[in-house]
Each structure stands twice: as structure tokens, then as C-alpha cells.
């Protein structure tokens, strides 16, 4: 079934991906295209709706993005947002001026009806961010909303199916923004909301097959959500043409390496290459206690092993990775898909260049336009196990940042066991979905205890659980006492060499999530 399509035409604004996300949340398939896309191409795609995004420019600036007036006569409904709204007015003969007073932030508007405002109260709050405004409408348009400083906060020409809003309906601060987008998509464009993640999977798989042809693809699989879902998609598209390289440095959680291997070899068609290199890491880390040095060593060793394996596997073809949209924002880059042979590799705290002597025909990032929750939805549809799809963030250096002091095989074992007990109790407690991250830490501390008749001198385990929206700030989770009590009991009884447990009650700031 051909998807009915909405096109988000990108004029360079900061919320473009968010618009696409909101459209998809409405159950409507959409793709983002540059404003430079030729009109013939748009005609060919025959979208059922087009949304012009915002952008930082002024329509009078010669270098700012413009578009041929022809687009307004295709008969396709168009919604212009912010710069897109000004561009629509300007291109069709209206006027745009600089505001006497820029509007920025939450602003009250008053609407006077029209298709966009069905179900929206007469007065509501929207998110504005503009220094230009539409001062005169093109012929045939009428104003449908105003704010104290903006006489054309929304306008329309229903005969031509053209609509525009000066504010940002895609931002959650716009109280009824979603309703307004929904109205445009359903009432104006006639979408019915039948697009689901199945359609994304189908169209992506088809595109991947076309792009990859009979070449090979190599993917670095970490066992995290993103690379796992990318692996699932690529496996569905090209099966055995895909090789996943999974480096197990011995610092993962209990049984995690086996679980990842088992999942991808049992459930998916692909070549799975696991590199076990715990010994190499332990040797490199011997005697090292400084946190930053540890991190550096783990990173360096990891990429040494990883690139060596990739080099072995590279045979022309493509290099794939599980970059998702927020990674692209963080690194300030656009989509690199298909950009020759060098790539910046996704890591949390640093960027890594692919060694010059490894070459691929291109880079594939099948999840580059998705947000985390969409990636998870795709993962579930692909049949990736719940444990992987809903995996909490786990740092690249693994348990290496959770063992203070020197990292030894014995300490890894104690921490893996302790962490597994803690996770098991949280899973049973029913509070797991309230926590964003929870784990055990092994401080380099032994304490005196008593067990039976004799004294012990064993490890202290710290447990950490946080709630957060964005990991930039976080609060310690108010885990019920009875859950803490069970965790403490089990840790001391079941995990060898543990005789004391503390709960970390530090928020971020001043603490960080991890201890190292
Ligand atoms: P912090 O400790 O910086 O953690 O408050 C914030 C989030 O980042 C994760 N984290 C890391 N992830 N490599 C990673 O891939 C690292 O070196 C690293 N350090 C922290 C941490 O688990 C939390 O989710």
C-alpha cells in the first residue's frame, strides 16, 4: 500500500524534526525535504499535505531560503509555520515587517475560527519566536488569530487550501498545538491517521534494499537500543549481507554479552561476529586507578579492537550505525547517510573518526530521523526482546566507570552479581518504569561486618537510582523502604564478598549520575 504522504519542507528552523515527529504522532507518514527540492519532484511525490517549517531568516534577505510561487498553485494543502508563514504571505504578495517588539516565549492568542482552530478555545497560549511579522495579507486571505503584538498570528485562504500560523504549534508550550496540527492534517488534508511504525519499517527496508543492492554492510553493535534496532532493520532488509561486530570488553552487565549474541544469532538473519577481549582490557587497565585514565584506556582499547575487526570485515560496501536524531543535534550535524567513506562514530562523550585506511562506499544510518521512543516502537515491531528495546542507558566504558580504584576480574564479578540482584528486585517491585537509570557501584571500600560468629572485612556496595528528563539534571529516586530492605538483604546474603549496602541520595548537580 502506498503511504499517503505529508512533506515537511525544511527552511532551516530549529524545530523541523519536531514538526515531523508531531505529524507522525498524529499517525501520518511524513518526510522532511529541503526547500530546494524541485517543484517537479514534489509534484511527482504527490503529497496530501505540505508543512513549511520555521527558519532563522528574514524573507527580505536575499540569501534567505525562498520558494517558487508555483508551489501554492499545486492544489496541495500547505501550512506555513513561523518563517514558513511569512514566506507564504510574502511570496503571494503580502507584506512582512520587523516587529516593534519581538515576540518570544509563551504568548496569548485569540482565535476567530477556521479549520485550524476546531476544538481550540477562543484564547490560548502559544509559543512564539519571531522578530518579523506579516503586516499585510495577500489577497483572498483572512486573519484567524491575533496576539497583543501580532495582528496576523494565524491566517488562511481555504479556497486555495493555504493556512499559516506565526507561532509554533509543534512545541509543547503551545497548549493546543497538537490539536491545530491535527486539524490541518485531518480536516484540511484529509489524512485518517492510519500510518503506523509498520509502514516506516516497510518503506525503510525497501529503501535499504535499493541502496545496498548486493553489497555488504558492516554494523558496530553495542547491544544498546539504537544499534540493536538498526541491526534488526538491516537484517530484515539484507539478511546475510549484514555483518554485526560486537566487541565484548568484559565490562558489561551479568550475562549481557551472551544475551546479545543469543538474541541476534537466534532471532535474526545476519553474520554475527563477537570479539571477546576481556583479558586485553584487564591487562591494559592493570594498576590504573585514575578515573579519566581508565576511561581513556577503555576507549582506546575498544576502538583498537573494533577497527581491527571492521578492517577485517570491510569489503567495500557500507558501514552502518545506529545514529538517531538527537545524536545528530548533539553533534551539530546533518544526516551523513551516503557521505563517502569517512564517518564520525557515535559515542556518548567523544567523537571518533574512522581510520583513513578503512574505506566503505558509504555510511548508512537508518534511524537518523527517529526519536528514541520511535526507535523503541520500531524495535518492538521487529521483535527485538523487551530487555534490549527498553534497556536503560549504559555507559560505553561499562562497569569500568562503576568500579572505583583498580579494575580486577574479581571486582567485576562482585559488581555484576550485585547489579543483577538490584535489577531483579527493581523489576519485581513494579517501579521500574519510574526510574530512568538504576545500577550498583563498587566503591573501593571494605567495611567490617559480622556474619554468624565471625567478623568479616568485605566490600561495600552502593546502589543508585535516578529520575530525570534529560540526564543533565537528575534526582535520586524515592525507592520504597521495603524494596531497599529486600535489595540490601539479598546483596549481603547472596553476593559473595559483600557485607554492607548504601543508597546514594545525591541529586545531579552536585553529583553526576555515574560515580566516575
Ligand atoms: P553523568 O555521570 O555524566 O551521566 O551525570 C549522564 C549520563 O551519561 C552516561 N554516561 C556515559 N555514557 N560513556 C557513555 O557512553 C561515558 O563515559 C559515560 N559517562 C556517563 C550515564 O550513564 C548517564 O546516563
Amino acid at each position: 500500500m502506498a503511504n499517503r504522504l505529508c512533506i515537511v519542507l525544511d527552511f532551516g528552523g530549529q524545530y523541523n524534526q519536531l514538526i515531523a515527529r508531531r505529524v507522525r504522532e498524529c499517525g501520518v507518514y511524513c518526510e522532511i525535504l529541503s526547500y530546494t527540492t524541485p517543484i517537479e519532484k514534489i509534484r511527482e511525490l504527490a503529497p496530501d499535505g505540505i508543512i513549511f517549517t520555521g527558519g532563522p531568516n528574514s524573507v527580505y534577505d536575499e540569501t534567505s531560503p525562498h520558494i517558487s510561487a508555483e508551489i501554492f498553485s499545486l492544489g496541495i494543502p500547505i501550512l506555513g509555520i513561523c518563517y514558513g508563514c511569512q514566506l507564504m504571505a510574502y511570496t503571494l504578495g503580502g507584506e512582512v515587517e520587523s516587529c516593534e517588539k519581538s515576540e518570544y516565549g509563551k504568548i496569548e492568542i485569540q482565535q476567530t475560527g477556521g479549520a485550524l482552530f476546531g476544538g481550540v478555545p477562543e484564547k490560548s497560549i502559544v509559543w512564539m519566536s519571531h522578530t518579523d511579522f506579516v503586516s499585510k495579507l495577500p489577497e483572498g486571505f483572512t486573519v484567524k488569530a491575533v496576539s497583543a503584538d501580532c495582528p496576523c498570528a494565524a491566517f488562511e485562504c481555504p479556497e486555495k487550501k493555504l493556512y499559516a500560523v506565526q507561532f509554533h504549534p509543534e512545541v509543547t508550550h503551545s497548549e493546543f498545538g497538537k490539536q491545530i496540527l491535527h486539524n490541518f492534517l485531518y480536516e484540511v488534508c484529509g489524512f485518517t491517521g492510519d500510518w503506523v511504525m509498520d509502514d516506516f519499517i516497510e518503506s525503510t527496508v525497501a529503501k535499504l534494499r535499493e541502496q545496498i543492492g548486493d553489497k555488504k554492510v558492516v554494523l558496530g553493535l553495542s547491544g544498546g537500543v539504537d544499534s540493536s534496532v538498526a541491526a534488526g532493520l538491516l537484517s530484515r532488509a539484507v539478511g546475510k549481507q549484514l555483518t554485526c561486530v560486537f566487541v565484548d570488553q568484559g565490562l558489561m552487565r551479568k550475562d549481557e554479552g551472551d544475551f546479545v549474541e543469543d538474541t541476534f544469532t537466534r532471532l535474526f538473519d545476519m553474520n554475527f561476529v563477537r570479539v571477546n577481549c576481556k583479558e586485553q582490557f584487564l591487562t591494559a587497565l592493570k594498576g590504573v586507578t585514575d578515573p579519566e585514565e581508565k576511561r581513556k584506556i577503555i576507549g582506546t582499547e575498544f576502538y583498537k579492537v573494533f577497527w581491527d575487526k571492521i578492517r577485517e570485515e570491510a569489503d567495500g560496501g557500507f558501514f552502518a550505525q545506529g545514529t538517531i536524531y538527537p545524536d545528530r543535534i548533539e553533534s551539530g550535524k546533518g544526516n551523513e547517510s551516503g557521505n563517502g567513506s569517512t564517518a564520525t562514530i557515535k559515542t556518548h562523550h567523544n567523537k571518533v573518526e574512522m581510520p583513513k585506511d578503512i574505506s566503505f562506499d558509504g555510511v548508512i544510518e537508518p534511524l537518523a530521523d527517529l526519536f528514541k521512543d520511535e526507535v523503541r516502537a520500531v524495535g518492538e515491531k521487529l521483535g527485538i526482546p523487551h530487555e534490549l528495546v527498553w534497556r536503560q542507558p549504559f555507559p560505553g566504558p561499562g562497569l569500568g566507570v562503576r568500579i572505583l580504584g583498580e579494575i580486577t576480574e574479581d571486582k567485576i564479578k562482585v559488581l555484576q552479581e550485585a547489579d543483577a540482584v538490584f535489577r531483579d528486585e527493581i523489576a519485581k517491585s513494579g517501579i521500574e518504569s519510574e526510574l530512568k537509570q538504576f545500577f550498583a557501584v563498587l566503591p573501593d571500600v571494605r567495611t567490617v561486618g559480622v556474619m554468624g560468629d565471625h567478623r568479616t572485612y568485605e566490600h561495600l556496595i552502593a546502589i543508585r537510582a535516578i529520575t530525570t528528563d534529560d540526564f543533565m539534571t537528575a534526582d535520586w529516586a524515592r525507592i520504597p523502604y521495603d524494596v531497599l530492605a529486600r535489595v540490601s538483604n539479598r546483596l549481603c546474603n547472596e553476593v559473595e564478598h559483600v557485607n554492607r549496602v548504601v543508597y546514594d541520595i545525591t541529586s545531579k548537580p552536585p553529583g553526576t549520575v555515574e560515580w566516575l
Side-chain angles (χ1 to χ4, degrees):
M1 185 198 77
N3 282 314
R4 298 196 61 212
L5 173 69
C6 173
I7 286 179
V8 173
L9 218 48
D10 182 352
F11 287 92
Q14 56 177 324
Y15 300 128
N16 305 349
Q17 292 284 339
L18 200 52
I19 297 174
R21 181 182 180 181
R22 296 282 176 255
V23 172
R24 289 194 216 151
E25 279 171 3
C26 289
V28 172
Y29 181 66
C30 78
E31 286 184 15
I32 301 174
L33 295 181
S34 161
Y35 74 94
T36 56
T37 309
I39 298 286
E40 302 81 66
K41 170 86 181 159
I42 292 176
R43 213 196 295 268
E44 213 175 280
L45 289 168
D48 300 284
I50 298 176
I51 298 179
F52 286 9
T53 73
N57 306 71
S58 166
V59 289
Y60 287 111
D61 184 345
E62 268 179 33
T63 58
S64 66
H66 286 93
I67 193 151
S68 154
E70 204 186 331
I71 194 156
F72 299 108
S73 51
L74 297 178
I76 302 169
I78 298 178
L79 172 66
I81 294 177
C82 197
Y83 178 80
C85 145
Q86 294 162 13
L87 189 68
M88 181 187 289
Y90 173 76
T91 312
L92 292 172
E95 281 171 24
V96 175
E97 287 176 40
S98 248
C99 307
E100 260 173 38
K101 199 171 136 208
S102 297
E103 279 189 310
Y104 183 79
K106 291 182 179 179
I107 304 282
E108 186 180 77
I109 57 160
Q110 185 164 8
Q111 59 98 356
T112 53
L116 293 184
F117 292 102
V120 178
E122 190 189 339
K123 288 184 178 175
S124 69
I125 299 296
V126 297
W127 185 258
M128 291 276 197
S129 172
H130 65 115
T131 40
D132 283 358
F133 75 109
V134 176
S135 53
K136 184 165 163 267
L137 288 178
E139 226 181 277
F141 281 75
T142 47
V143 173
K144 287 293 160 190
V146 295
S147 74
D149 293 303
C150 181
C152 293
F155 51 89
E156 63 172 33
C157 175
E159 296 72 35
K160 294 186 178 152
K161 301 185 198 156
L162 302 179
Y163 297 80
V165 290
Q166 179 55 65
F167 54 90
H168 288 275
E170 70 278 17
V171 173
T172 47
H173 301 309
S174 292
E175 282 178 316
F176 291 87
K178 200 162 174 191
Q179 177 73 49
I180 292 167
L181 284 174
H182 190 279
N183 288 340
F184 174 70
L185 295 167
Y186 282 59
E187 306 309 324
V188 177
C189 305
F191 288 105
T192 50
D194 52 4
W195 183 73
V196 283
M197 275 301 165
D198 290 324
D199 301 326
F200 170 83
I201 293 173
E202 240 174 72
S203 64
T204 307
V205 163
K207 271 192 231 156
L208 288 171
R209 281 192 185 133
E210 193 184 329
Q211 185 181 4
I212 297 164
D214 57 5
K215 293 187 175 170
K216 293 195 173 158
V217 186
V218 182
L219 171 87
L221 183 73
S222 69
V225 183
D226 309 338
S227 62
S228 295
V229 175
L233 263 179
L234 283 158
S235 158
R236 183 170 290 193
V238 297
K240 284 266 183 308
Q241 286 163 254
L242 168 68
T243 298
C244 286
V245 173
F246 171 56
V247 176
D248 185 348
Q249 14 67 318
L251 294 167
M252 301 191 76
R253 288 172 289 199
K254 188 183 176 189
D255 299 331
E256 204 164 22
D258 294 344
F259 178 68
V260 171
E261 177 172 356
D262 184 55
T263 300
F264 287 99
T265 49
R266 201 166 40 81
L267 302 180
F268 293 90
D269 190 26
M270 63 170 67
N271 298 307
F272 186 90
V273 180
R274 175 171 175 179
V275 191
N276 288 316
C277 45
K278 184 173 172 182
E279 298 311 321
Q280 178 177 338
F281 274 71
L282 283 174
T283 307
L285 287 164
K286 202 165 173 41
V288 179
T289 54
D290 178 72
E292 276 317 299
E293 205 181 327
K294 272 198 241 176
R295 241 181 238 274
K296 216 165 119 199
I297 291 172
I298 296 171
T300 309
E301 289 300 312
F302 177 88
Y303 283 105
K304 222 191 279 171
V305 177
F306 181 71
W307 291 128
D308 279 352
K309 202 63 193 168
I310 295 288
R311 196 175 281 110
E312 256 174 54
E313 298 294 335
D315 182 13
F318 295 93
F319 181 72
Q321 54 177 358
T323 314
I324 69 171
Y325 178 62
D327 302 326
R328 291 167 51 205
I329 311 182
E330 274 164 31
S331 64
K333 284 161 157 268
N335 189 347
E336 288 172 300
S337 303
N339 267 2
S341 60
T342 55
T344 300
I345 304 311
K346 173 192 170 187
T347 64
H348 179 80
H349 284 290
N350 48 0
K351 291 184 208 127
V352 180
E353 291 290 318
M354 184 183 283
K356 296 269 182 296
D357 65 315
I358 303 182
S359 95
F360 285 95
D361 293 348
V363 176
I364 292 180
E365 297 173 320
L367 308 174
D369 290 332
L370 297 192
F371 288 86
K372 197 77 168 190
D373 47 353
E374 294 178 319
V375 172
R376 291 201 159 108
V378 171
E380 292 205 320
K381 292 273 178 198
L382 289 170
I384 295 172
H386 189 269
E387 293 95 305
L388 279 181
V389 169
W390 291 97
R391 190 187 195 248
Q392 54 171 310
F394 187 61
L399 300 183
V401 291
R402 294 179 184 166
I403 294 174
L404 282 73
E406 188 186 7
I407 298 172
T408 64
E409 185 148 20
D410 289 346
K411 287 190 193 171
I412 295 174
K413 177 101 177 66
V414 171
L415 184 57
Q416 280 178 332
E417 293 298 330
D419 188 68
V421 166
F422 183 37
R423 282 190 293 135
D424 182 50
E425 278 305 323
I426 292 294
K428 287 181 188 155
S429 70
I431 58 166
E432 186 167 350
S433 60
E434 292 163 36
L435 309 179
K436 281 290 168 62
Q437 214 174 350
F438 52 98
F439 52 86
V441 178
L442 189 72
D444 204 14
V445 172
R446 284 174 194 252
T447 71
V448 172
V450 56
M451 199 166 274
D453 294 335
H454 46 264
R455 280 180 175 262
T456 58
Y457 185 57
E458 297 283 21
H459 282 295
L460 162 77
I461 286 284
I463 51 178
R464 177 105 167 113
I466 56 142
T467 56
T468 176
D469 283 332
D470 55 10
F471 294 92
M472 305 299 284
T473 62
D475 198 5
W476 57 278
R478 283 13 177 208
I479 296 182
Y481 280 174
D482 55 341
V483 178
L484 289 175
R486 277 196 299 277
V487 172
S488 162
N489 264 338
R490 283 191 60 192
L491 286 176
C492 293
N493 287 325
E494 292 175 27
V495 184
E496 249 187 290
H497 306 300
V498 169
N499 70 355
R500 192 176 296 267
V501 180
V502 294
Y503 184 40
D504 182 349
I505 52 167
T506 322
S507 59
K508 174 183 179 176
T512 47
V513 175
E514 303 290 348
W515 277 36
L516 287 183

